[in-house]
Amino acid sequence: MSSNAKLAKEWFYSAENDYQYAILGLKEEHIYPPAAFLLQQVVEKILKGMLVLKEIEPPMIHDLQKLLKMVIKLFPDFQIFEKECLLLNSFYIESRYPPDILNYTKVQILIAFKAAERFRNFFQEKVVIGEEEKEE
């Protein structure tokens, strides 16, 4: 496995950890803002990992729409996630820093969760990392 594939796997592993923590966050109302932030991070880390996989240094940005545009050039099937990236972008700063921390409803968080989950699942179906991934 190439060093790029190894680094990409680290991005994907980190995204999966964030996804699992977001699931835990959905169970507790008082931690919806951090869960919302983690959902944005799931998609950001997958997008950056996909760039690394194709030997492109990911830019130091957090804008999912800009990252998605870069990824679409390499993986055109991901163009279907423009709306999800727009939605999840809104959870990056607002959910982390006062006075912008919003009181999200469970419905808002579930919508964000479904968007991140759809992206994650599509990624897992479409992107193969190295030959040993096929054997597992």
Side-chain angles (χ1 to χ4, degrees):
M1 180 182 298
S2 74
S3 61
N4 282 345
K6 287 179 185 177
L7 180 56
K9 283 182 85 167
E10 290 179 33
W11 280 102
F12 304 144
Y13 180 78
S14 181
E16 187 61 23
N17 284 342
D18 288 349
Y19 177 77
Q20 296 302 323
Y21 276 115
I23 289 172
L24 294 174
L26 289 173
K27 297 176 183 178
E28 300 291 333
E29 286 186 32
H30 65 281
I31 58 173
Y32 284 166
F37 171 72
L38 287 172
L39 293 168
Q40 184 276 346
Q41 286 289 282
V42 168
V43 175
E44 180 181 331
K45 290 175 182 179
I46 290 172
L47 288 168
K48 288 183 175 181
M50 292 171 73
L51 292 172
V52 168
L53 194 60
K54 294 295 186 175
E55 301 181 4
I56 296 172
E57 179 80 23
M60 295 180 71
I61 62 172
H62 306 287
D63 186 323
L64 299 181
Q65 290 175 291
K66 288 181 181 177
L67 291 168
L68 181 64
K69 284 180 183 178
M70 294 176 72
V71 165
I72 288 170
K73 292 176 185 174
L74 308 165
F75 301 90
D77 290 349
F78 281 81
Q79 67 187 352
I80 63 173
F81 290 102
E82 290 175 355
K83 288 181 183 175
E84 285 84 349
C85 287
L86 177 63
L87 169 71
L88 292 167
N89 254 352
S90 67
F91 294 110
Y92 179 70
I93 295 295
E94 286 87 351
S95 62
R96 285 186 38 195
Y97 300 114
D100 296 324
I101 296 175
L102 301 176
N103 291 320
Y104 299 115
T105 66
K106 186 162 190 159
V107 170
Q108 289 171 304
I109 295 300
L110 288 174
I111 290 168
F113 177 77
K114 289 296 180 188
E117 183 178 53
R118 277 191 304 274
F119 185 91
R120 172 189 167 265
N121 292 346
F122 188 82
F123 159 75
Q124 289 179 338
E125 291 172 15
K126 295 286 183 180
V127 179
V128 176
I129 311 149
E131 291 302 312
E132 56 264 350
E133 289 295 312
K134 293 178 184 175
E135 297 171 6
E136 290 179 4

